[in-house]
mmCIF file with all atom_site columns, all heavy atoms in Angstrom:
data_model
loop_
_atom_site.group_PDB
_atom_site.id
_atom_site.type_symbol
_atom_site.label_atom_id
_atom_site.label_alt_id
_atom_site.label_comp_id
_atom_site.label_asym_id
_atom_site.label_entity_id
_atom_site.label_seq_id
_atom_site.pdbx_PDB_ins_code
_atom_site.Cartn_x
_atom_site.Cartn_y
_atom_site.Cartn_z
_atom_site.occupancy
_atom_site.B_iso_or_equiv
_atom_site.pdbx_formal_charge
_atom_site.auth_seq_id
_atom_site.auth_comp_id
_atom_site.auth_asym_id
_atom_site.auth_atom_id
_atom_site.pdbx_PDB_model_num
ATOM 1  N N   . LEU A 1 4   ? 26.888  21.378 13.339  1.00 73.00 ? 4   LEU A N   1
ATOM 2  C CA  . LEU A 1 4   ? 27.206  21.782 11.929  1.00 73.00 ? 4   LEU A CA  1
ATOM 3  C C   . LEU A 1 4   ? 26.083  22.767 11.521  1.00 73.00 ? 4   LEU A C   1
ATOM 4  O O   . LEU A 1 4   ? 24.914  22.244 11.514  1.00 73.00 ? 4   LEU A O   1
ATOM 5  C CB  . LEU A 1 4   ? 27.259  20.609 11.002  1.00 73.00 ? 4   LEU A CB  1
ATOM 6  C CG  . LEU A 1 4   ? 28.446  19.641 11.230  1.00 73.00 ? 4   LEU A CG  1
ATOM 7  C CD1 . LEU A 1 4   ? 28.285  18.482 10.331  1.00 73.00 ? 4   LEU A CD1 1
ATOM 8  C CD2 . LEU A 1 4   ? 29.767  20.408 10.835  1.00 73.00 ? 4   LEU A CD2 1
ATOM 9  N N   . PRO A 1 14  ? 33.729  9.516  13.381  1.00 89.00 ? 14  PRO A N   1
ATOM 10 C CA  . PRO A 1 14  ? 33.913  9.798  11.996  1.00 89.00 ? 14  PRO A CA  1
ATOM 11 C C   . PRO A 1 14  ? 32.997  8.942  10.956  1.00 89.00 ? 14  PRO A C   1
ATOM 12 O O   . PRO A 1 14  ? 32.459  9.506  10.020  1.00 89.00 ? 14  PRO A O   1
ATOM 13 C CB  . PRO A 1 14  ? 35.394  9.333  11.610  1.00 89.00 ? 14  PRO A CB  1
ATOM 14 C CG  . PRO A 1 14  ? 36.097  9.527  13.080  1.00 89.00 ? 14  PRO A CG  1
ATOM 15 C CD  . PRO A 1 14  ? 34.987  9.148  14.027  1.00 89.00 ? 14  PRO A CD  1
ATOM 16 N N   . PHE A 1 26  ? 21.985  13.098 -0.124  1.00 98.00 ? 26  PHE A N   1
ATOM 17 C CA  . PHE A 1 26  ? 20.747  12.523 -0.730  1.00 98.00 ? 26  PHE A CA  1
ATOM 18 C C   . PHE A 1 26  ? 19.485  13.209 -0.425  1.00 98.00 ? 26  PHE A C   1
ATOM 19 O O   . PHE A 1 26  ? 18.594  13.236 -1.342  1.00 98.00 ? 26  PHE A O   1
ATOM 20 C CB  . PHE A 1 26  ? 20.674  11.002 -0.176  1.00 98.00 ? 26  PHE A CB  1
ATOM 21 C CG  . PHE A 1 26  ? 21.460  10.066 -0.817  1.00 98.00 ? 26  PHE A CG  1
ATOM 22 C CD1 . PHE A 1 26  ? 22.346  9.147  -0.220  1.00 98.00 ? 26  PHE A CD1 1
ATOM 23 C CD2 . PHE A 1 26  ? 21.378  9.897  -2.298  1.00 98.00 ? 26  PHE A CD2 1
ATOM 24 C CE1 . PHE A 1 26  ? 23.147  8.297  -0.800  1.00 98.00 ? 26  PHE A CE1 1
ATOM 25 C CE2 . PHE A 1 26  ? 22.088  8.896  -2.975  1.00 98.00 ? 26  PHE A CE2 1
ATOM 26 C CZ  . PHE A 1 26  ? 22.996  8.095  -2.203  1.00 98.00 ? 26  PHE A CZ  1
ATOM 27 N N   . ALA A 1 35  ? 10.753  18.269 -6.090  1.00 97.00 ? 35  ALA A N   1
ATOM 28 C CA  . ALA A 1 35  ? 10.090  19.410 -6.487  1.00 97.00 ? 35  ALA A CA  1
ATOM 29 C C   . ALA A 1 35  ? 10.025  19.706 -7.894  1.00 97.00 ? 35  ALA A C   1
ATOM 30 O O   . ALA A 1 35  ? 9.069   20.057 -8.492  1.00 97.00 ? 35  ALA A O   1
ATOM 31 C CB  . ALA A 1 35  ? 10.753  20.539 -5.799  1.00 97.00 ? 35  ALA A CB  1
ATOM 32 N N   . ASP A 1 78  ? 11.529  6.367  15.352  1.00 96.00 ? 78  ASP A N   1
ATOM 33 C CA  . ASP A 1 78  ? 10.454  7.050  14.683  1.00 96.00 ? 78  ASP A CA  1
ATOM 34 C C   . ASP A 1 78  ? 10.813  7.570  13.320  1.00 96.00 ? 78  ASP A C   1
ATOM 35 O O   . ASP A 1 78  ? 10.042  7.540  12.383  1.00 96.00 ? 78  ASP A O   1
ATOM 36 C CB  . ASP A 1 78  ? 9.924   8.269  15.611  1.00 96.00 ? 78  ASP A CB  1
ATOM 37 C CG  . ASP A 1 78  ? 10.904  9.232  15.907  1.00 96.00 ? 78  ASP A CG  1
ATOM 38 O OD1 . ASP A 1 78  ? 12.198  8.753  16.016  1.00 96.00 ? 78  ASP A OD1 1
ATOM 39 O OD2 . ASP A 1 78  ? 10.647  10.349 16.525  1.00 96.00 ? 78  ASP A OD2 1
ATOM 40 N N   . ALA A 1 114 ? 2.523   11.687 -0.927  1.00 98.00 ? 114 ALA A N   1
ATOM 41 C CA  . ALA A 1 114 ? 2.668   11.222 0.556   1.00 98.00 ? 114 ALA A CA  1
ATOM 42 C C   . ALA A 1 114 ? 4.103   10.840 0.782   1.00 98.00 ? 114 ALA A C   1
ATOM 43 O O   . ALA A 1 114 ? 4.652   11.288 1.944   1.00 98.00 ? 114 ALA A O   1
ATOM 44 C CB  . ALA A 1 114 ? 1.777   9.940  0.796   1.00 98.00 ? 114 ALA A CB  1
ATOM 45 N N   . ALA A 1 122 ? 9.872   13.859 8.388   1.00 98.00 ? 122 ALA A N   1
ATOM 46 C CA  . ALA A 1 122 ? 11.007  13.165 9.156   1.00 98.00 ? 122 ALA A CA  1
ATOM 47 C C   . ALA A 1 122 ? 12.086  14.346 9.294   1.00 98.00 ? 122 ALA A C   1
ATOM 48 O O   . ALA A 1 122 ? 12.693  14.412 10.311  1.00 98.00 ? 122 ALA A O   1
ATOM 49 C CB  . ALA A 1 122 ? 11.551  12.030 8.179   1.00 98.00 ? 122 ALA A CB  1
ATOM 50 N N   . PHE A 1 123 ? 12.285  15.062 8.220   1.00 96.00 ? 123 PHE A N   1
ATOM 51 C CA  . PHE A 1 123 ? 13.390  16.229 8.400   1.00 96.00 ? 123 PHE A CA  1
ATOM 52 C C   . PHE A 1 123 ? 12.848  17.131 9.485   1.00 96.00 ? 123 PHE A C   1
ATOM 53 O O   . PHE A 1 123 ? 13.755  17.593 10.298  1.00 96.00 ? 123 PHE A O   1
ATOM 54 C CB  . PHE A 1 123 ? 13.495  16.925 7.031   1.00 96.00 ? 123 PHE A CB  1
ATOM 55 C CG  . PHE A 1 123 ? 14.245  18.181 7.210   1.00 96.00 ? 123 PHE A CG  1
ATOM 56 C CD1 . PHE A 1 123 ? 15.700  18.102 7.215   1.00 96.00 ? 123 PHE A CD1 1
ATOM 57 C CD2 . PHE A 1 123 ? 13.777  19.435 7.298   1.00 96.00 ? 123 PHE A CD2 1
ATOM 58 C CE1 . PHE A 1 123 ? 16.538  19.208 7.453   1.00 96.00 ? 123 PHE A CE1 1
ATOM 59 C CE2 . PHE A 1 123 ? 14.541  20.571 7.439   1.00 96.00 ? 123 PHE A CE2 1
ATOM 60 C CZ  . PHE A 1 123 ? 15.951  20.386 7.468   1.00 96.00 ? 123 PHE A CZ  1
ATOM 61 N N   . PRO A 1 146 ? 3.531   19.595 7.849   1.00 97.00 ? 146 PRO A N   1
ATOM 62 C CA  . PRO A 1 146 ? 3.751   19.296 6.431   1.00 97.00 ? 146 PRO A CA  1
ATOM 63 C C   . PRO A 1 146 ? 2.432   18.722 5.800   1.00 97.00 ? 146 PRO A C   1
ATOM 64 O O   . PRO A 1 146 ? 2.239   19.102 4.588   1.00 97.00 ? 146 PRO A O   1
ATOM 65 C CB  . PRO A 1 146 ? 4.968   18.274 6.469   1.00 97.00 ? 146 PRO A CB  1
ATOM 66 C CG  . PRO A 1 146 ? 5.631   18.562 7.849   1.00 97.00 ? 146 PRO A CG  1
ATOM 67 C CD  . PRO A 1 146 ? 4.585   18.942 8.721   1.00 97.00 ? 146 PRO A CD  1
ATOM 68 N N   . LEU A 1 148 ? -0.607  19.042 6.705   1.00 97.00 ? 148 LEU A N   1
ATOM 69 C CA  . LEU A 1 148 ? -1.625  20.015 6.699   1.00 97.00 ? 148 LEU A CA  1
ATOM 70 C C   . LEU A 1 148 ? -1.456  20.971 5.504   1.00 97.00 ? 148 LEU A C   1
ATOM 71 O O   . LEU A 1 148 ? -2.444  21.485 4.796   1.00 97.00 ? 148 LEU A O   1
ATOM 72 C CB  . LEU A 1 148 ? -1.818  20.846 8.055   1.00 97.00 ? 148 LEU A CB  1
ATOM 73 C CG  . LEU A 1 148 ? -2.356  19.922 9.064   1.00 97.00 ? 148 LEU A CG  1
ATOM 74 C CD1 . LEU A 1 148 ? -2.350  20.851 10.424  1.00 97.00 ? 148 LEU A CD1 1
ATOM 75 C CD2 . LEU A 1 148 ? -3.717  19.537 8.840   1.00 97.00 ? 148 LEU A CD2 1
ATOM 76 N N   . LEU A 1 165 ? -7.835  14.235 -15.174 1.00 89.00 ? 165 LEU A N   1
ATOM 77 C CA  . LEU A 1 165 ? -9.075  14.453 -15.967 1.00 89.00 ? 165 LEU A CA  1
ATOM 78 C C   . LEU A 1 165 ? -9.118  13.713 -17.316 1.00 89.00 ? 165 LEU A C   1
ATOM 79 O O   . LEU A 1 165 ? -10.098 13.271 -17.777 1.00 89.00 ? 165 LEU A O   1
ATOM 80 C CB  . LEU A 1 165 ? -9.348  16.037 -16.110 1.00 89.00 ? 165 LEU A CB  1
ATOM 81 C CG  . LEU A 1 165 ? -9.557  16.762 -14.941 1.00 89.00 ? 165 LEU A CG  1
ATOM 82 C CD1 . LEU A 1 165 ? -9.496  18.356 -15.136 1.00 89.00 ? 165 LEU A CD1 1
ATOM 83 C CD2 . LEU A 1 165 ? -10.852 16.347 -14.237 1.00 89.00 ? 165 LEU A CD2 1
ATOM 84 N N   . GLN A 1 171 ? -11.630 6.867  -19.777 1.00 81.00 ? 171 GLN A N   1
ATOM 85 C CA  . GLN A 1 171 ? -12.459 5.670  -19.210 1.00 81.00 ? 171 GLN A CA  1
ATOM 86 C C   . GLN A 1 171 ? -13.942 5.834  -19.551 1.00 81.00 ? 171 GLN A C   1
ATOM 87 O O   . GLN A 1 171 ? -14.619 4.929  -19.800 1.00 81.00 ? 171 GLN A O   1
ATOM 88 C CB  . GLN A 1 171 ? -12.234 5.685  -17.643 1.00 81.00 ? 171 GLN A CB  1
ATOM 89 C CG  . GLN A 1 171 ? -10.846 5.438  -17.208 1.00 81.00 ? 171 GLN A CG  1
ATOM 90 C CD  . GLN A 1 171 ? -10.418 4.018  -17.695 1.00 81.00 ? 171 GLN A CD  1
ATOM 91 O OE1 . GLN A 1 171 ? -10.955 2.850  -17.406 1.00 81.00 ? 171 GLN A OE1 1
ATOM 92 N NE2 . GLN A 1 171 ? -9.379  4.050  -18.515 1.00 81.00 ? 171 GLN A NE2 1
#
Side-chain angles (χ1 to χ4, degrees):
L4 293 173
F26 275 127
D78 54 344
F123 172 79
L148 287 176
L165 294 175
Q171 295 303 297

